Amino acid sequence: MPKLTDAFVRSVKKPGKYSDQHGLKLRVSASGAKQWIWRGRIGARTRDLGLGGYPYVTLREARSTALEYRAIARRGGDPSVKRTEVPTFRQAAERVIALHAAKWKPGGKSENQWRSSLETYVFPNIGSTSIEQVTSADVMACLTPIWHSRSTTAKRVLQRISAIMRWSIAQGFRVDNPADGRITAALGTNARSSKHLAAVPHTELAATLDKIRAASVFPTVRLAAEFAILTATRSGETRGAMWSEINLDERLWKMPAERMKGNRSHRVPLSNRAADLLTEAVRFKSDTGLVFPDRNGREIPSWVIPKLFRSLNVGGTLHGMRTAFRNWCAENGTSREVAETCLAHRMGSSTEQAYRRTDLLERRRFLMEEWSLYLDTRPIESNTATRPAMGWEQKAKLDARTNNRELLTPQAASALFGVSLLAVHQAVSENLVCADVQVRITTTPLNLIRMDSAAQHWGLPDTHLADLMRDQGQVMGIEGQSCNILSLEPLVTLSKRT
């Protein structure tokens, strides 16, 4: 007599096996997944054959198949022979890859990585084996040689085998997953300390950029490398940048979702220096529409910039430069929201993301200009040709802000008015706007600078700068004019003289 009902099958959640008739069983896993199994004697062996998962296979359909299998077995036949469509592991893998391809980015590496890892480590062992006959021992045989020596690769291979097995269970070809937790339990932990991409400290990045600018490579390679560092973007995003995404009038780069890692569009504010690089790149325009094409007009291959870095003995990767940017943001008090948005990282829960729809563009515009100025070691005079001087209207606006005691860094003033840092310096030295210097010392050292050099940089008497420090109780072993103090660039703010 039937023991299961539609209502029970639909509502049962407790893990276990529940029997029906004709050898039919419903297996409920701890995750809540439900699988139909036929158990019967075939020859001298008791076999379990998968009939598919619920609700894709209904109770009525499962009973019908179980009855058919029971009849075949009683006649001395083998019900599994009837299922001639059972694929080999290789065939099952191809079907799973085809299903996943719909969500993978066109031209991405995912499909090649799946195929390459399976071809290398799995197919030689079980590629021609029927998917229903693959055992945990077979999976272990694939993974044992690389489990400890290539731990990251081994984990990925295991995940891919498991995905193929889960598909097979859903199709009714299997009743269990031989690549589940039993494998890791048997092989032991292969966890190793995370190896992050090499990054150049942000204090050394300006010197690195000087090396890149002087490198003997095709010009667009140099431009692309510097542009990626200035914009804190990924290598592929920069190498694939299109002129159709760039708006130089608005100083904005708009990347469509299909080119982003998170499949979400992203806007990048362009600093003055980044805009200068694009102006240089215009002369290399090709029919492809790429901003930084190689000498053949095609996208710069992914290996070219890493090769350049190796030739220059740069101790980091292009992606690692994003780490340098993020560390610089942290050490300079940039809010987490602004810094992570610059890197196009998702933040918070899906609910928070649904409600927070601003991309903080204007705040990021100031930040990216400061980042650009921080990295620029070239003489200031050589970097002002394409940037306007500070006009009287802009000086008046800055004067109004400082009248209200709103403290601004020179970099912030430069970004605010779209002028060179030299223009801000000149406005200060001409006593047109900010005329008092306020020194702030933090525990985070940036660039050490001699006090006499700092005073000369701002056109101040050495004693005046020393007095300002003493007045705030921030004397740091001053010895005449040769005291080392923290860099004035991000730490000095300007306010209106009273």
Side-chain angles (χ1 to χ4, degrees):
M1 294 293 292
K3 297 180 180 180
L4 302 181
T5 65
D6 288 323
F8 176 83
V9 172
R10 182 172 58 251
S11 60
V12 63
K13 295 180 180 179
K14 184 178 179 181
K17 291 183 180 179
Y18 302 90
S19 300
D20 194 64
Q21 58 182 345
H22 310 310
L24 178 64
K25 296 180 182 297
L26 175 68
R27 187 178 71 175
V28 180
S29 67
S31 65
K34 299 171 184 178
Q35 176 74 22
W36 295 112
I37 301 168
W38 177 82
R39 172 169 289 183
R41 195 170 187 81
I42 302 175
R45 293 179 54 197
T46 298
R47 296 274 302 277
D48 283 353
L49 300 179
L51 306 182
Y54 179 85
Y56 309 105
V57 176
T58 66
L59 173 59
R60 182 177 179 179
E61 292 170 334
R63 277 179 180 158
S64 176
T65 304
L67 177 61
E68 183 181 0
Y69 281 15
R70 172 66 64 84
I72 294 173
R74 283 188 172 179
R75 293 195 298 267
D78 185 350
S80 64
V81 174
K82 178 179 181 295
R83 301 185 305 162
T84 56
E85 75 280 6
V86 176
T88 63
F89 182 88
R90 182 188 290 270
Q91 292 169 336
E94 290 294 336
R95 297 187 194 180
V96 172
I97 290 172
L99 286 173
H100 283 16
K103 68 177 181 181
W104 287 334
K105 243 193 257 187
K109 300 178 180 178
S110 297
E111 183 172 346
N112 288 338
Q113 289 173 341
W114 267 68
R115 293 186 186 281
S116 176
S117 63
L118 295 176
E119 286 281 0
T120 303
Y121 304 111
V122 183
F123 290 163
N125 292 324
I126 59 174
S128 59
T129 304
S130 172
I131 193 69
E132 67 177 354
Q133 295 176 359
V134 175
T135 65
S136 294
D138 294 328
V139 177
M140 285 184 64
C142 297
L143 297 174
T144 299
I146 60 172
W147 189 250
H148 295 291
S149 61
R150 307 195 64 181
S151 58
T152 300
T153 299
K155 286 182 178 179
R156 290 175 179 167
V157 171
L158 177 59
Q159 290 169 356
R160 290 161 187 167
I161 295 174
S162 184
I164 294 167
M165 292 303 172
R166 290 195 301 272
W167 173 87
S168 301
I169 293 171
Q171 294 294 313
F173 299 136
R174 292 193 64 94
V175 297
D176 68 333
N177 182 355
D180 58 14
R182 291 171 290 184
I183 299 299
T184 53
L187 292 175
T189 179
N190 69 347
R192 293 188 174 185
S193 58
S194 299
K195 185 177 181 181
H196 300 291
L197 293 173
V200 175
H202 65 78
T203 53
E204 301 174 12
L205 198 47
T208 298
L209 276 177
D210 287 341
K211 289 183 181 180
I212 293 172
R213 293 176 186 132
S216 298
V217 291
F218 193 68
T220 56
V221 176
R222 294 196 304 267
L223 295 174
E226 182 175 356
F227 188 79
I229 294 171
L230 290 175
T231 55
T233 49
R234 300 176 178 90
S235 173
E237 294 164 0
T238 294
R239 291 183 292 104
M242 306 295 291
W243 282 111
S244 58
E245 301 168 0
I246 303 292
N247 188 324
L248 278 174
D249 293 333
E250 297 181 7
R251 297 289 177 89
L252 201 60
W253 176 19
K254 300 178 181 178
M255 279 184 279
E258 57 268 21
R259 286 219 312 111
M260 294 298 298
K261 181 178 180 180
N263 199 31
R264 183 176 59 176
S265 61
H266 180 54
R267 297 192 298 175
V268 180
L270 300 173
S271 65
N272 287 326
R273 175 58 184 164
D276 291 346
L277 294 176
L278 293 175
T279 301
E280 293 182 46
V282 168
R283 60 194 179 100
F284 298 100
K285 267 190 175 180
S286 68
D287 295 338
T288 60
L290 289 164
V291 176
F292 304 109
D294 66 6
R295 63 177 69 251
N296 298 315
R298 296 188 292 266
E299 182 177 318
I300 296 172
S302 60
W303 53 266
V304 170
I305 294 178
K307 181 181 179 181
L308 169 65
F309 281 14
R310 288 193 298 271
S311 69
L312 298 176
N313 292 320
V314 172
T317 64
L318 190 56
H319 195 90
M321 304 304 177
R322 287 161 53 88
T323 300
F325 168 78
R326 187 61 182 88
N327 289 341
W328 175 80
C329 288
E331 293 176 8
N332 284 276
T334 302
S335 72
R336 178 172 178 265
E337 289 80 4
V338 173
E340 292 298 310
T341 303
C342 286
L343 296 171
H345 288 165
R346 293 182 182 272
M347 290 180 55
S349 64
S350 57
T351 301
E352 181 180 351
Q353 293 172 20
Y355 279 91
R356 186 172 62 83
R357 301 181 184 181
T358 176
D359 65 355
L360 307 171
L361 180 64
E362 292 309 314
R363 291 177 65 183
R364 291 191 292 122
R365 191 179 294 280
F366 284 105
L367 181 66
M368 299 315 292
E369 187 66 35
E370 289 200 33
W371 172 241
S372 173
L373 292 169
Y374 175 73
L375 297 178
D376 201 347
T377 60
R378 298 170 302 156
I380 293 175
E381 292 78 3
S382 69
N383 198 26
T384 59
T386 61
R387 304 182 191 179
M390 184 178 285
W392 283 102
E393 182 178 349
Q394 294 170 319
K395 291 172 183 175
K397 290 180 180 179
L398 181 57
D399 200 31
R401 293 183 69 139
T402 54
N403 266 325
N404 295 326
R405 306 298 297 175
E406 182 171 354
L407 303 180
L408 293 172
T409 64
Q411 293 91 337
S414 172
L416 177 64
F417 298 110
V419 299
S420 68
L421 190 60
L422 177 62
V424 179
H425 292 177
Q426 289 173 339
V428 173
S429 62
E430 293 169 9
N431 200 25
L432 296 174
V433 284
C434 315
D436 192 15
V437 178
Q438 186 177 62
V439 179
R440 292 187 290 118
I441 306 296
T442 72
T443 57
T444 304
L446 297 176
N447 298 321
L448 293 178
I449 183 170
R450 288 167 56 95
M451 179 178 289
D452 52 352
S453 300
Q456 182 179 8
H457 184 65
W458 285 101
L460 298 169
D462 300 343
T463 54
H464 179 45
L465 185 56
D467 288 342
L468 285 169
M469 294 176 66
R470 288 192 182 94
D471 290 345
Q472 300 177 59
Q474 295 171 332
V475 179
M476 298 180 64
I478 294 177
E479 297 177 1
Q481 296 183 352
S482 60
C483 171
N484 283 343
I485 65 173
L486 294 180
S487 169
L488 298 182
E489 293 298 331
L491 300 177
V492 172
T493 54
L494 305 176
S495 60
K496 181 70 175 177
R497 170 181 288 169
T498 56

